[in-house]
Structures are given as structure tokens and as C-alpha cells.
Amino acid sequence: MLWAGILALLLPGIGNYFGSWFGADILLLVQWGTFILLSLLFRMPGINTRLIPRQVRYWRASNLARRQFLEQNLHHTEGATGILIFVSEAERYVEILVDQGIADILDNAVWEDIVADFTTKVRQGQTRQGFLDCIAACGKLLKEHVPATHERNELPNHLVILP
């Protein structure tokens, strides 16, 4: 809305200043029309995402990932072994969050490498394979460094899609 308002004021105003095309009443109508058009245009997800700086998008996505980690109760596992693979398609953001029990054993660089592999596959158009490889890589690391202490899985293994 901010971008739409600024551009709606500036574009017709600058055009009228240099071209003297409109009277005051027509200029106002053109500004309103420009504002409405740009407001609708900027609501489109592909355009909207590009207007928000990358750092702000990543910050929001990272906060959402942490909130989901808590809301899904991934921090209430025996041995603090919860893990979340968070993917935000709109922000083009991927993060793997692990609970303290895993973080004490495995360095963050390990997860960054898995995320890098995942994003590379997604860029190549292999989204499904990227997900599968990411899940398999996480499982392999956990099996190797944080072996299961009992047969029952404390957490459901499922995909949560947020609006």
C-alpha cells in the first residue's frame, strides 16, 4: 500500500508537471485510479514478494519457523531431539531447526549444507527430489549421531501447510 500510494502521487504529478496534461480535478482522478490499480497489482504474490527487501522476508520467515517449532511442540521431546524442516515458498527461504539435544551434538554448518543442497535442487526444478533428499540427509545424520532410544516416535511425521 505504501508503494502504491507513493507512486500514485508521484507518477501522475510528475507527468502533469512536465506535460501539463490535466487540470486539478482530472489529476486527482488519475492519482486515485493509479493508486487503485497499483494496490491491486502489488497484492499479487509474485510482485508483492519482490517489493519486500530480502532481509525482511527472511527475518519474517525465520520468526515463523521458530513459532511453528514451538506450536508443533517440537521442543517437548525426550532428550530435546525435535527437528523442523521449514520451507517458505513465497519468501524462498529454507531453514532446519533442531532442539538443544541435537544442537549440542551437531554443528549448524551441517544443516546449512543440507539446506544448500535442497535449494540447489529446487532451483533446478527438482522440488520433490530436493525434499526427499533433505529428509533422507537429516534422517541419516540423526541415525548416526542421535540414535533412537525407543521404538515409538514422539512426534508425528507430517507436512503442515500454512496459508
Side-chain angles (χ1 to χ4, degrees):
M1 296 292 283
L2 176 65
W3 282 110
I6 291 170
L7 292 174
L9 287 173
L10 289 179
L11 294 178
I14 291 171
N16 194 47
Y17 180 76
F18 290 111
S20 298
W21 299 321
F22 315 118
D25 54 342
I26 300 298
L27 178 62
L28 182 61
L29 290 174
V30 170
Q31 287 177 325
W32 285 352
T34 304
F35 176 74
I36 291 168
L37 179 70
L38 290 175
S39 294
L40 294 173
L41 184 68
F42 291 164
R43 290 185 60 100
M44 296 173 67
I47 295 172
N48 185 6
T49 304
R50 304 257 190 288
L51 293 174
I52 300 170
R54 180 181 297 163
Q55 292 158 330
V56 173
R57 286 185 311 197
Y58 285 2
W59 178 79
R60 287 180 182 172
S62 181
N63 282 342
L64 183 57
R66 280 155 181 67
R67 199 166 67 227
Q68 284 302 307
F69 192 87
L70 296 174
E71 286 178 10
Q72 300 296 324
N73 288 322
L74 301 179
H75 61 295
H76 285 300
T77 59
E78 184 179 319
T81 56
I83 182 169
L84 173 71
I85 302 171
F86 181 86
V87 179
S88 177
E89 184 179 13
E91 285 80 12
R92 298 173 185 240
Y93 181 82
V94 178
E95 184 173 1
I96 299 174
L97 293 174
V98 296
D99 208 349
Q100 195 61 45
I102 298 171
D104 289 343
I105 297 169
L106 293 168
D107 189 54
N108 274 344
V110 172
W111 308 113
E112 291 169 6
D113 291 341
I114 294 173
V115 167
D117 291 340
F118 176 76
T119 54
T120 300
K121 287 212 169 72
V122 170
R123 281 190 198 108
Q124 296 170 349
Q126 303 172 356
T127 305
R128 180 176 178 265
Q129 192 58 46
F131 269 109
L132 294 174
D133 291 350
C134 180
I135 293 166
C138 291
K140 181 180 176 188
L141 278 173
L142 293 175
K143 187 175 186 179
E144 183 179 325
H145 296 284
V146 189
T149 56
H150 47 71
E151 289 298 316
R152 187 180 74 76
N153 191 349
E154 292 180 68
L155 300 169
N157 296 321
H158 64 275
L159 178 66
V160 176
I161 299 176
L162 301 173

